Structures are given as C-alpha cells and as structure tokens.
Amino acid sequence: MSAKRCRRGEIELYRSPVTEDCEHLLSLFQKTDSVRFEVFSKIWKEMNFSHIFLGTVKHEKRSFSRLILDSAYGFLLPPFSFQIRVGGLYLLYSLFQSQTAAPPEPIRLALKDWEHVKKFEKDAMDAQHMDVIYILRQLRLQRAFHFSATPTRLVFRKLRKKESPALCENFIERASRPQELINIDLLEELTNVHDLYGTLKSSVSETSENSSVNLIRDDLIPQLRSTVMDFHKWQSRQGAADE
C-alpha cells in the first residue's frame, strides 16, 4: 500500500471527531435562538475553533482542509432547520477563512444541491436576514465554491466503505408541509376562485329548475385555514413536550 493511500486513510479517521466538534458548536449556536453572524462569531472565538487546523504537517494541510469543509458542508442543506443551516453557512465561511492550505481549498458544492442553496438564500432575503445574504455573497466573491458533480471526490479504489454519519435529530426541522402548502397566497387564490364559483352558481340557480342543489360550502376556506392552524398548534405542543 502506498504512503499516499496510508495518509488518506489516516486523515479519514478524523472525520467523525471533526463532525462531533461541528455539531457541538452548532448546538451552542442553536441555544441562542439567533441567526446573527455576530452571535456565531462569539461562540467560534470562545471555542478557539480556528485551532482545528493546527498540528497538521505541510503535506496534510490540503487534504485535512478538504475533510473539514466536507464535514461542515452537510449542515448547509436540508433536512436541517433554517437556523442550523445558517450556522452551517457561517461555519463554512469561518473554516474557509481560517484554513492553513495555500491557496485555500474550495468548498465543493454539488450541482444537485444548488437549488437548495438558492431557495435558502431566497428565504433569508424574504425574512431580511442580511447577515446570511452578506456571507453568501462574500463566499461567491472570493470564489470559495467549487461546483462539482458530487459533494466529495470520487476515487477508483477505497480503503473501506464510507459510512454515512447519523444526522443529529435536534438539528432536523420538524415537518411543516401543511403550513408550506396552505399559505396566505394560496388561501387568497382559493377565496377568489370560491367567490367566482359562487357567482356562477348563483347565475345557474336563477335559470335552473333545480335551484336547491348545494354546490358550494361557504365555510371551506375558513375551515381549511383553521385545520392548518390546529395542526401547527398541536405540533408546537408536541415539540415543547419533547423538550
């Protein structure tokens, strides 16, 4: 076995501890209930997290930087909550700036994940989280992203099968599909359609012999909204009980 392959195998041994360190930092950020970079930066400095790059010899700097960035990359994507994804973005930015490899190792961004990042940026813009927008644009200006077919490099031979790390359950966003599907815009559109249908029904009833046929539920839109709100309240109570 070549020395290069041995070193690659030794570097991989650090993946699990690095992921644990990232999760610990993000768990502290999660407790602040904030998405400000200033708050994240304070935790980063208190943990001396930039020291994670110290101790690597010259020929290991690039491969170790790649491993650390790959480990942090997953926190930028679903199914993690918005706050954890913000923390993941700040983590990638801080790691990119702190690495000792020269020129700096880029952040591999798989093309399949680009839509997730664009939607994440749009959500941040809609909520006016300007720290997130600024950090994303800084990474682009610095050409920190390397767009690739896969998030990690593919090799012809592997020392062993790579195990997928278990996702931290506390970071995963609770299911919110009903709230996402039944939003204000949809309710307004349904109301307009409902009113139009009511007008057409009234015109039919005036000319139809059987005008007693009930073609409309007047409480359809309010009941739909009420059902979604009841689900959201139940979900919130369940979350509070789990904590």
Side-chain angles (χ1 to χ4, degrees):
M1 186 180 293
S2 67
K4 185 176 181 180
R5 288 181 63 189
C6 284
R7 289 196 297 271
R8 186 185 299 129
E10 292 171 359
I11 289 292
E12 279 296 320
L13 295 177
Y14 294 107
R15 186 176 295 275
S16 180
V18 166
T19 302
E20 291 178 4
D21 288 342
C22 292
E23 288 180 350
H24 179 55
L25 185 151
L26 291 175
S27 67
L28 295 177
F29 181 63
Q30 185 182 40
K31 291 178 181 178
T32 65
D33 198 26
S34 172
V35 291
R36 297 297 305 277
F37 181 72
E38 180 183 5
V39 175
F40 175 88
S41 182
K42 181 180 179 181
I43 299 173
W44 169 278
K45 292 176 181 177
E46 289 176 350
M47 291 184 64
N48 292 319
F49 209 86
S50 60
H51 292 180
I52 196 171
F53 291 102
L54 300 182
T56 53
V57 294
K58 185 175 181 179
H59 66 269
E60 293 178 336
K61 288 183 178 180
R62 183 159 301 283
S63 57
F64 190 62
S65 293
R66 186 180 305 127
L67 179 141
I68 290 178
L69 291 172
D70 287 348
S71 300
Y73 171 76
F75 296 108
L76 178 60
L77 305 172
F80 296 120
S81 67
F82 181 80
Q83 188 198 11
I84 292 299
R85 294 178 68 186
V86 169
L89 173 68
Y90 295 161
L91 179 60
L92 281 172
Y93 174 77
S94 302
L95 290 170
F96 179 79
Q97 302 293 339
S98 303
Q99 63 177 301
T100 53
E105 179 69 18
I107 302 166
R108 290 176 66 89
L109 179 58
L111 294 178
K112 68 180 180 63
D113 297 330
W114 180 234
E115 289 300 321
H116 293 306
V117 175
K118 288 201 300 183
K119 185 179 184 305
F120 172 69
E121 182 179 29
K122 182 180 183 303
D123 292 341
M125 180 65 76
D126 292 343
Q128 291 295 293
H129 296 313
M130 304 314 296
D131 290 18
V132 177
I133 304 302
Y134 175 79
I135 295 298
L136 269 174
R137 292 182 178 176
Q138 282 298 305
L139 287 172
R140 289 177 188 165
L141 288 173
Q142 296 173 23
R143 298 183 178 179
F145 292 123
H146 172 69
F147 293 93
S148 58
T150 59
T152 57
R153 289 188 173 186
L154 299 179
V155 294
F156 179 68
R157 292 181 178 178
K158 294 185 178 181
L159 297 177
R160 61 181 179 277
K161 184 178 180 181
K162 182 181 175 182
E163 297 181 358
S164 300
L167 299 179
C168 181
E169 293 185 2
N170 293 334
F171 291 173
I172 297 177
E173 189 169 25
R174 293 179 63 84
S176 59
R177 295 303 296 168
Q179 298 96 303
E180 292 176 3
L181 293 173
I182 311 299
N183 51 43
I184 294 177
D185 292 337
L186 178 62
L187 289 175
E188 289 181 354
E189 185 65 23
L190 286 174
T191 301
N192 293 334
V193 173
H194 187 271
D195 292 342
L196 178 60
Y197 187 72
T199 302
L200 291 174
K201 185 257 184 181
S202 298
S203 64
V204 170
S205 298
E206 292 174 357
T207 59
S208 173
E209 296 180 359
N210 187 11
S211 60
S212 62
V213 178
N214 185 11
L215 301 176
I216 296 178
R217 287 188 57 180
D218 294 333
D219 63 342
L220 175 62
I221 308 303
Q223 186 175 8
L224 183 60
R225 181 180 183 279
S226 176
T227 301
V228 174
M229 292 301 297
D230 288 343
F231 172 79
H232 179 66
K233 292 177 182 178
W234 172 83
Q235 190 180 62
S236 300
R237 290 196 299 268
Q238 289 294 110
D242 292 341
E243 294 174 0

